[in-house]
Amino acid sequence: MRIIIAGGHGKIALRLERLLGSAAVGLVRNPAHVSDVEATGARAVVCDLERASAEELAAVLDGADAAVFAAGAGPGSGVARKDTVDRAASALLADTAERAGVRRFLQISSMGAGKPPAGGRDEVWAAYITAKTQAEVDLRGRDLDWTIVRPGGLTDDPGTGLVRLEPEVPRGTVPRDDVAAVLAELLRERAAVHRTLELVSGDTPVAEAVAALR
């Protein structure tokens, strides 16, 4: 398989690339990040989704088996980049995948998406959740075999391999290791097509949690 991962230098993406090895192609904005991606066993391609043309991105996606949107504007970014990365870049990748015939598409979203931003949070958080919600809406309207995964609070704790993966779960946390493991399993099994799933730590092994969605 050949899996294109947008946001290839992100914390979840690097973990997913280690799991997929040479099957993964990580898209990075900064050329200095190429070596980190290649250290996982994946291939790196410099491609800035905030500036890339559809033609440039189509060349990268040509012949791919799946695409994963794991990009995000990240901490310290403002309202504008929540829109240009978390919404617009996801839409660009999905649009190009659709045109290129890359049907399988995984999107990493966030718990809280799909609802109005919770009160009491700052404008940047509200912009982030709004962008994730809009990206989900865009993806659901496309002719792709999409799956949306909404992780809970992300941690860098070692993964346990035990999760709760359902359309709706109580709020909680989940190690990034386990998010990557779920994504890899979804790709392998081509499970949960046209499903939106929430993900937190639980007591079900990843393979069983994904198999239950078939």
Side-chain angles (χ1 to χ4, degrees):
M1 295 183 74
R2 181 166 173 264
I3 313 298
I4 308 301
I5 304 173
H9 193 256
K11 291 183 177 182
I12 293 173
L14 287 169
R15 288 165 166 82
L16 179 58
E17 287 153 5
R18 289 189 191 98
L19 294 175
L20 298 177
S22 60
V25 179
L27 306 187
V28 297
R29 180 170 57 91
N30 186 344
H33 294 160
V34 166
S35 60
D36 291 338
V37 172
E38 291 179 341
T40 70
R43 180 186 167 207
V45 171
V46 177
C47 181
D48 184 350
L49 292 182
E50 290 181 274
R51 295 178 173 82
S53 66
E55 292 76 15
E56 179 184 356
L57 190 54
V60 176
L61 285 169
D62 184 44
D65 298 287
V68 179
F69 186 79
S77 58
V79 169
R81 292 202 69 227
K82 299 305 183 190
D83 182 71
T84 59
V85 178
D86 292 277
R87 180 198 62 79
S90 176
L92 173 63
L93 185 67
D95 185 61
T96 308
E98 197 172 30
R99 292 170 183 270
V102 181
R103 294 200 55 82
R104 188 64 169 130
F105 194 103
L106 302 188
Q107 183 186 81
I108 302 176
S109 188
S110 174
M111 285 188 75
K115 303 174 184 176
R121 303 299 294 266
D122 63 33
E123 65 173 359
V124 175
W125 174 259
Y128 169 74
I129 288 298
T130 298
K132 288 297 189 188
T133 296
Q134 291 173 344
E136 289 186 6
V137 171
D138 175 86
L139 184 57
R140 290 190 193 100
R142 294 187 180 278
D143 183 23
L144 294 169
D145 295 337
W146 54 264
T147 303
I148 296 167
V149 178
R150 296 171 172 169
L154 297 168
T155 77
D156 289 325
D157 296 335
T160 66
L162 301 173
V163 299
R164 186 169 179 183
L165 180 67
E166 300 170 20
E168 189 170 356
V169 302
R171 284 198 169 271
T173 61
V174 61
R176 289 177 172 89
D177 285 347
D178 289 335
V179 177
V182 166
L183 295 172
E185 190 69 13
L186 287 168
L187 288 166
R188 277 192 290 266
E189 297 300 323
R190 206 173 185 88
V193 171
H194 298 161
R195 301 283 295 276
T196 300
L197 303 165
E198 295 185 345
L199 171 63
V200 294
S201 292
D203 54 14
T204 304
V206 167
E208 290 182 21
V210 171
L213 299 168
R214 294 195 193 107

